[in-house]
Amino acid sequence: MSKNLEELREKLESLLRKVDFTPVYWKDGKVVWLDVTLLPWEEVYRETRDVSRLAEAIKNLEIRGAPAIGVAAGLGVAMAVYNASGSVNELKSEGLKAVSILRSTRPTAYNLFYALDRMERVIRAYEGSSPSELKEEVLGEALSIMIEDLEANLKMGEIGSELITDGETVLTHCNTGSLATSGLGTALGIIKTAWRKGKSIRVIATETRPLLQGARLTAWELKKAGIPFKLVTDNMVGYLFYEGLVDRVIVGADRITIDGYVANKIGTYTIATVAWRHGKPFHVAAPTSTIHPVSYKEKKIVIEHRNPAEVTTILGRLEIAPKGTEALNPAFDVTPPELVTSIITEKGVAWPPYIDSLRRIIGSQ
Ligand code: MRU
């Protein structure tokens, strides 16, 4: 193993000791992940050497959450190259094939494309003739993406927790914790950090229909962390604000445009609108790998539409509508910048106008 790869592995190990757990990692040429579709009932880790199997795991949400998808995709490309045999050109072609398979898994999370673009660049830029050197370079890039995500989460936790006042009730949507990243989390990472710093906070977690990431995953993480919380159904949010039961909202993001439009789990726009109506802060927490450096007008955000059966059933287990009912199932919505109080990144907090603040933040990368 090269010195560089050894150093990256050591760095990763030391960062992983600072977080509760990671839902996705590299082990002896395989990608290993916690299958979150089985939570909170069972904790099952799965592993593969097969890129198509990994792509399926991302599509069916065994691995989900924008940063976790990006990290898994990076490791997936490394896996394809690492396990291939032959010349440098043959390895490169396996790597690029993996990039193309993984690109078509989910369309909205920018972290996926950010990670795959980086992997593709490293593969294409390699001009040497040593297959083992190429393998090390590609694995090194994937581990770097994971390291950077862990560092970003720890940094966002520090920065974002300063915005939370002692005694507040913070509402969050979907799952943005360790289960959605390489460890700790974004919005939920900030909440956990504030709690660990001794801030006496309470959390309201929305269940997040149709796939219940809030009820199944955020509740699981909050319980594990010992943070007091109440679970609510998504349609209770307006009432909670009306009664003055929410002080602040922190959510994650799947994609943020350079002018501050935020694509996140369906229902986020509704929460932002109600928070704005009641004059409560609405923060978005995301690493800079979630920021697509184009404006909303320049490139439309593609919203993933999933199988309507996710709406007409509860997790495919119980039919809740008459047979033949047609349903809509957009997985994300877009919150416009005027509803977003601030965007918390690992490089600092962006305030409106985002076209200036996000440009500054991205520029400082
Ligand atoms: O469909 P999912 O579960 O992948 O959606 C996840 C979200 O919308 C999260 O809020 C977002 O990815 C941020 S995770 C840190």
Side-chain angles (χ1 to χ4, degrees):
M1 195 189 300
S2 72
K3 188 164 170 285
N4 180 39
L5 205 51
E6 190 56 48
E7 277 170 9
L8 288 173
R9 279 182 192 263
E10 277 168 19
K11 192 164 185 191
L12 183 58
E13 286 306 315
S14 93
L15 284 165
L16 285 172
R17 281 194 286 276
K18 295 185 184 169
V19 299
D20 32 11
F21 64 94
T22 181
V24 53
Y25 56 94
W26 173 265
K27 190 177 162 220
D28 306 329
K30 289 176 283 194
V31 178
V32 185
W33 69 94
L34 174 60
D35 179 349
V36 303
T37 61
L38 300 177
L39 286 174
W41 307 284
E42 281 178 87
E43 273 178 59
V44 176
Y45 281 85
R46 304 198 188 276
E47 55 179 46
T48 190
R49 284 182 199 278
D50 175 14
V51 175
S52 300
R53 172 66 187 98
L54 183 67
E56 180 191 297
I58 294 174
K59 274 187 199 159
N60 67 26
L61 270 52
E62 290 171 47
I63 304 166
R64 38 69 53 199
I69 295 171
V71 168
L75 294 174
V77 176
M79 175 177 78
V81 173
Y82 193 90
N83 294 318
S85 49
S87 67
V88 161
N89 277 346
E90 283 164 322
L91 263 57
K92 280 186 165 193
S93 134
E94 283 306 312
L96 295 176
K97 207 158 73 189
V99 168
S100 144
I101 293 172
L102 291 162
R103 250 186 221 292
S104 65
T105 48
R106 297 192 74 192
T108 308
Y110 185 66
N111 306 61
L112 173 70
F113 304 98
Y114 168 85
L116 291 173
D117 286 349
R118 275 181 62 168
M119 298 307 294
E120 182 169 347
R121 265 199 302 275
V122 168
I123 294 171
R124 289 195 191 279
Y126 183 74
E127 286 179 340
S129 57
S130 158
S132 60
E133 192 178 69
L134 173 62
K135 287 183 184 190
E136 296 212 338
E137 286 209 7
V138 173
L139 179 56
E141 187 69 359
L143 295 182
S144 298
I145 291 170
M146 183 164 179
I147 286 170
E148 287 163 31
D149 189 59
L150 282 162
E151 286 174 335
N153 293 343
L154 289 161
K155 199 80 220 260
M156 274 185 285
E158 284 306 317
I159 297 172
S161 57
E162 292 304 312
L163 297 172
I164 299 180
T165 309
D166 199 43
E168 278 185 349
T169 298
V170 181
L171 184 142
T172 191
H173 187 51
C174 195
N175 172 266
T176 60
S178 292
L179 293 170
T181 63
S182 52
L184 185 66
T186 59
L188 197 53
I190 289 172
I191 289 168
K192 286 187 214 169
T193 308
W195 175 254
R196 281 171 199 160
K197 280 181 170 174
K199 293 198 176 172
S200 143
I201 49 171
R202 280 179 302 276
V203 177
I204 291 180
T206 51
E207 68 169 349
T208 320
R209 269 288 283 155
L211 295 179
L212 305 174
Q213 288 92 332
R216 296 187 301 104
L217 310 179
T218 300
W220 185 80
E221 286 199 48
L222 286 167
K223 245 182 147 214
K224 239 171 137 66
I227 304 173
F229 73 98
K230 292 272 194 300
L231 180 67
V232 296
T233 61
D234 302 328
N235 52 1
M236 294 175 185
V237 168
Y239 169 83
L240 297 177
F241 278 96
Y242 179 78
E243 291 290 344
L245 299 174
V246 179
D247 299 306
R248 188 179 297 279
V249 179
I250 312 182
V251 297
D254 283 80
R255 183 182 290 242
I256 301 173
T257 63
I258 198 72
D259 45 353
Y261 285 80
V262 176
N264 191 46
K265 180 52 58 194
I266 192 76
T268 302
Y269 175 42
T270 317
I271 296 170
T273 306
V274 178
W276 173 80
R277 168 75 178 78
H278 290 270
K280 298 293 181 190
F282 177 91
H283 309 279
V284 174
T288 48
S289 52
T290 305
I291 303 171
H292 188 191
V294 298
S295 72
Y296 183 66
K297 281 218 175 95
E298 266 172 277
K299 196 160 191 326
K300 198 164 166 23
I301 297 176
V302 179
I303 298 292
E304 176 183 11
H305 284 254
R306 296 183 60 88
N307 188 342
E310 290 177 353
V311 174
T312 57
T313 68
I314 301 285
L315 302 175
R317 298 171 192 190
L318 176 70
E319 297 274 355
I320 54 168
K323 282 236 166 321
T325 297
E326 290 183 9
L328 299 174
N329 191 12
F332 303 98
D333 59 25
V334 178
T335 300
E338 57 271 24
L339 301 183
V340 179
T341 308
S342 70
I343 299 176
I344 303 157
T345 79
E346 79 279 19
K347 310 244 181 222
V349 182
W351 304 92
Y354 294 112
I355 189 79
D356 298 329
S357 55
L358 288 179
R359 266 211 191 117
R360 254 194 318 272
I361 278 173
I362 289 280
S364 69
Q365 267 181 336

